[in-house]
Amino acid sequence: MPSNAPIVLVRPVDSGVLLPIWIGPNEAAAIAMAQQGVAAPRPLTHDLFVATLLHLGSPLREVRIVRLEDGVFYAELVLDGDPVDARPSDAIALALRAGVPILVADEVLAEAGVEPEPEDQAADEVEQFREFLDTVTPQDFQEH
């Protein structure tokens, strides 16, 4: 994926593993708005969908990230009836607005989950890099 593509990191409560999912910029904005509690003056699509489900008496119960095929994640919205297929980015944006759990299948975590670096190790690496920057000169990068 392009290095400038937004990533959402899903961190299951009972696991130390992170699930990175690349998403589009619009989806990232929708998720960020929900995380920050920002309300648009008029309902945006995810807000409208959650409100419509409530109005119809079938609120969102949970979101599940259920599988990974050829690098594409698949999610489901769990209502009162059968689950509804969804993109993970939309499902996450809806879950945050509705205040419902986001669950990840064990198989998905096993295949695509990553162990985060311990904070101590990351801090050490940052410090080592800062020390390198303090001592490096342009001549260090000339070809020999």
Side-chain angles (χ1 to χ4, degrees), residues 115-130:
E115 292 281 341
E117 276 189 12
E119 288 191 30
D120 296 348
Q121 181 181 349
D124 288 346
E125 289 177 6
V126 169
E127 184 57 35
Q128 288 174 8
F129 186 65
R130 284 188 178 140

Side-chain angles (χ1 to χ4, degrees), residues 36-101:
Q36 297 168 5
V38 174
R42 302 215 16 148
L44 299 176
T45 305
H46 296 101
D47 303 310
L48 177 62
F49 192 73
V50 169
T52 301
L53 289 173
L54 288 172
H55 180 77
L56 294 174
S58 187
L60 185 60
R61 303 284 182 205
E62 66 186 26
V63 161
R64 299 178 185 155
I65 300 173
V66 294
R67 69 184 189 281
L68 174 64
E69 292 179 14
D70 298 323
V72 177
F73 290 94
Y74 292 83
E76 295 175 344
L77 307 177
V78 178
L79 310 169
D80 288 330
D82 293 332
V84 177
D85 188 37
R87 298 183 312 170
S89 55
D90 288 328
I92 292 167
L94 291 169
L96 292 172
R97 283 168 172 75
V100 301

Side-chain angles (χ1 to χ4, degrees), residues 128-141:
Q128 288 174 8
F129 186 65
R130 284 188 178 140
E131 289 173 9
F132 166 76
L133 290 176
D134 288 342
T135 61
V136 72
T137 66
Q139 292 77 21
D140 293 332
F141 295 99

